[in-house]
Amino acid sequence: MTETFDFASWPPALTKDQLEALSLYASTYALSHGLLYLPPAAEQPKIPSAAIHAPISLFPSPFPRRLFEQANRIQKAYDILYARITTDEAFLDEIMGAETGVGRVDDFIGQLWKGWKKLRDTGRLPQPLHLGLFRSDYLLHEAAGQPLGIKQVEFNTISVSFGSLSQRTAALHRYLLNATGYYESSPELVAENFPVNDTIAGLAEGLAQGHKAYGVPKSQILFVVQPGERNVFDQRPLEYELLEKHSIRIIRQTFDELITSASVDPKTQVLRIAVSPDLVPGGSVEISTVYFRSGYMPNDYPTLQHYETRFLLESSKAIKCPTIALQLAGGKKIQEVLTQPGILDRFLANKEKYGNDVLSSTEIEELRESFMAMWGLDVGKDMVLPDTAARESGEEEFGVRKARESALSLVLKPQREGGGNNVYKEAIPAFLDSLPKEERQAWIAMELIQPPENAGNYLLRAGSVNSPSQTPVKTDVISELGIFSWALFGESKVEERTVGWLVRTKGRDSNEGGVATGFSVLDSLLLVN
């Protein structure tokens, strides 16, 4: 199928009165339906007294239907791939470990890996199951002479966010369609082009499957959260869904709290959280599943006690979402290594290891087509290189030289989540000059994805006391699609399901894409041909 949609025609033209009306409809719907953030504050109050609506787009963003279907189709392959990477300890040790891998030069990764290895060596990993709530992120890619395609930005294995608010945003745009018809501004704006998004139920189902596998009905799920979390309204709907649809209760604690409240029984490996006996008879709660909405950045572990608390949770028989192994599997270096020859086949086509549970060559190739070219800055004569000439030259500085020469078409990525960590284009040469040689192993170079030019939207952010205006801003944008799934797995069987989607949209002049970090707004899909 050939794409016929003209991205430069988006968004449709509106009069001033129409724009003001849509902004009012959108902001009041968001405030009425939990599409919310806590407002910025030096310290969040224990009991919130106010909220603002999350940053949103007024129109859904156009996305080719066949590429949306492709992104959903390949999610199963990605789930299986990352499940098998997670259970291949030798591979993770080699790529991410503190002896030969990224952990040698990245203290955060090294700390996690060393704690995980110590638990392995001392036989203190009693739970063989891993639970993942995943999100695979894509941008549209418009290469010269090629049909429009999708390319993966990254695969997220810890604290995947905006599942709940993405569903709310899709509902917001359907509401605007029903309430106004978008003033008949475009023939594309019809109900059949607005895909269903039931991410809340899907992600809660994944957590419920972990709870069920643990097998103690009266146990609870622990949400490990960050202090002063502004994005609480993305997390609470999962709690409500688990309680109302699955009769599973939730307890929320930060690492600071868990340092003193968490304990693991040395005989049974049961994880218990101490709470006030006024709240829970007996004064403690048994935990079936640990769901991390924290723990993905170094500043989540300001002291060694915080790391030790993470390792304590890991040593219990509660099911972790994710385990340390699964968190390490989501590293950017793993993403780069997967592009090297033979690596996908190792995990997806190895009949000797996986029997008939292998993927077809067509499925593997479709997944491979979602990769952008990338390489490690430490690439040299003993490593797989992106081109034959460089390989034959045996040039140890190839990775850095190639990044310097191609800087304007690259992004450099470290082993970090949460946005705001990458180095782009013009900033790359100076960064390379300052990067110690021994730290190159922690960085990858990735060719920039090229989204369609001149696509636009109206972006609406909540006002404040100092700036009460909520005038939507029309700007050229880039939209990123995320596909959610869950997977529960051990050494052999992988149970998984694709459960929903997310769209984040940012101004084209912004390199970073995080909503929580202020770069993007929440958006939804308009499927086009």
Side-chain angles (χ1 to χ4, degrees):
M1 180 186 297
T2 301
E3 268 68 52
T4 58
F5 185 81
D6 178 13
F7 285 89
S9 69
W10 207 255
L14 295 175
T15 67
K16 180 182 177 182
D17 287 346
Q18 290 170 341
L19 190 57
E20 287 182 353
L22 274 183
S23 300
L24 178 60
Y25 278 124
S27 59
T28 52
Y29 182 95
L31 291 166
S32 301
H33 290 80
L35 185 43
L36 302 173
Y37 260 55
L38 290 178
E43 183 176 344
Q44 291 292 342
K46 187 171 183 179
I47 299 177
S49 58
I52 58 175
H53 71 71
I56 51 179
S57 66
L58 285 188
F59 284 88
S61 285
F63 201 94
R65 190 182 304 270
R66 72 171 182 86
L67 297 179
F68 175 63
E69 293 170 350
Q70 178 186 346
N72 278 277
R73 188 167 58 245
I74 63 177
Q75 188 71 9
K76 178 179 180 178
Y78 270 115
D79 291 347
I80 294 171
L81 173 62
Y82 276 86
R84 290 176 178 174
I85 291 170
T86 300
T87 55
D88 191 329
E89 293 178 353
F91 181 76
L92 283 178
D93 287 347
E94 178 186 358
I95 306 303
M96 300 297 286
E99 295 171 358
T100 61
V102 170
R104 290 191 312 131
V105 296
D106 185 309
D107 182 63
F108 172 56
I109 298 298
Q111 289 274 22
L112 290 177
W113 180 85
K114 284 185 283 188
W116 175 51
K117 184 159 190 309
K118 183 178 180 180
L119 292 172
R120 282 189 283 155
D121 291 345
T122 55
R124 290 187 294 146
L125 290 175
Q127 179 52 257
L129 294 176
H130 308 253
L131 176 63
L133 298 190
F134 299 144
R135 196 187 71 224
S136 188
D137 294 333
Y138 304 92
L139 290 174
L140 293 174
H141 182 57
E142 196 168 45
Q146 300 293 323
L148 195 63
I150 53 170
K151 294 294 183 180
Q152 188 186 64
V153 178
E154 61 187 358
F155 191 88
N156 302 277
T157 64
I158 181 169
S159 189
V160 296
S161 57
F162 297 115
S164 299
L165 295 191
S166 68
Q167 179 172 325
R168 300 277 194 256
T169 308
L172 162 68
H173 287 149
R174 285 195 299 272
Y175 161 73
L176 293 178
L177 175 69
N178 292 333
T180 71
Y182 277 103
Y183 306 108
E184 300 183 354
S185 57
S186 169
E188 302 286 352
L189 289 162
V190 291
E192 54 265 34
N193 291 341
F194 287 61
V196 173
N197 191 356
D198 291 325
T199 306
I200 296 171
L203 293 178
E205 177 192 43
L207 291 169
Q209 288 298 311
H211 177 86
K212 180 180 178 181
Y214 183 79
V216 178
K218 292 188 177 181
S219 59
Q220 298 186 22
I221 294 178
L222 169 65
F223 281 31
V224 183
V225 298
Q226 293 176 325
E229 175 62 77
R230 291 185 61 210
N231 198 23
V232 64
F233 299 106
D234 186 52
Q235 300 169 11
R236 289 290 187 181
L238 296 178
E239 175 182 341
Y240 306 148
E241 183 79 10
L242 285 164
L243 183 61
E244 293 165 9
K245 300 293 177 61
H246 302 277
S247 300
I248 300 171
R249 291 183 177 179
I250 303 303
I251 182 170
R252 295 170 58 89
Q253 291 210 353
T254 65
F255 273 116
D256 287 339
E257 293 170 318
L258 290 167
I259 286 173
T260 56
S261 67
S263 63
V264 174
D265 187 291
K267 293 183 178 180
T268 64
Q269 286 76 51
V270 167
L271 172 63
R272 302 196 73 88
I273 306 300
V275 295
S276 167
D278 290 338
L279 302 178
V280 174
S284 71
V285 174
E286 180 176 353
I287 299 301
S288 67
T289 307
V290 183
Y291 174 41
F292 288 97
R293 291 297 294 254
S294 178
Y296 54 88
M297 297 189 298
N299 60 11
D300 289 327
Y301 305 90
T303 71
L304 287 177
Q305 275 188 304
H306 290 77
Y307 281 107
E308 289 301 323
T309 300
R310 175 69 187 273
F311 303 146
L312 178 72
L313 301 179
E314 196 79 9
S315 73
S316 74
K317 73 173 186 178
I319 292 173
K320 273 71 68 176
C321 179
T323 58
I324 293 175
L326 182 50
Q327 180 174 349
L328 293 174
K332 305 299 186 296
K333 189 64 178 180
I334 297 290
Q335 185 184 11
E336 179 256 313
V337 170
L338 289 173
T339 68
Q340 298 180 11
I343 302 299
L344 278 187
D345 290 343
R346 169 178 174 166
F347 292 106
L348 299 179
N350 186 347
K351 278 200 168 187
E352 183 177 344
K353 185 170 184 179
Y354 300 112
N356 291 327
D357 292 329
V358 295
L359 272 63
S360 69
S361 58
T362 300
E363 290 172 310
I364 294 172
E365 188 55 34
E366 187 171 41
L367 185 148
R368 196 192 314 274
E369 287 175 358
S370 69
F371 293 168
M372 285 299 286
M374 58 188 92
W375 64 90
L377 292 186
D378 58 330
V379 165
K381 62 183 179 181
D382 297 325
M383 299 185 70
V384 175
L385 300 178
D387 63 67
T388 303
R391 187 181 303 114
E392 291 174 350
S393 76
E395 184 184 345
E396 293 186 11
E397 297 291 315
F398 172 78
V400 170
R401 179 177 63 80
K402 179 74 170 175
R404 194 182 300 277
E405 292 174 353
S406 309
L408 294 181
S409 62
L410 293 181
V411 54
L412 303 185
K413 295 183 174 184
Q415 311 304 307
R416 292 290 179 271
E417 306 295 334
N421 303 298
N422 300 334
V423 181
Y424 290 84
K425 300 180 186 178
E426 297 89 348
I428 288 176
F431 174 79
L432 293 174
D433 290 340
S434 68
L435 183 67
K437 184 175 181 178
E438 62 271 16
E439 294 182 17
R440 292 174 183 172
Q441 191 173 8
W443 290 81
I444 68 166
M446 176 177 171
E447 289 188 2
L448 284 169
I449 304 169
Q450 301 297 331
E453 297 278 353
N454 301 320
N457 210 323
Y458 289 95
L459 311 185
L460 183 66
R461 290 181 168 86
S464 65
V465 174
N466 296 325
S467 179
S469 172
Q470 291 197 68
T471 303
V473 176
K474 182 181 180 182
T475 186
D476 287 350
V477 298
I478 295 172
S479 295
E480 184 173 314
L481 170 69
I483 301 295
F484 290 103
S485 60
W486 61 261
L488 181 66
F489 58 93
E491 284 287 346
S492 54
K493 182 181 178 182
V494 181
E495 183 181 1
E496 57 77 42
R497 194 160 80 84
T498 301
V499 296
W501 49 269
L502 158 75
V503 180
R504 291 170 297 174
T505 290
K506 64 182 180 181
R508 195 174 186 91
D509 58 353
S510 172
N511 285 323
E512 296 293 350
V515 176
T517 48
F519 299 107
S520 297
V521 304
L522 294 167
D523 197 350
S524 75
L525 289 175
L526 180 75
L527 298 182
V528 297
N529 292 326

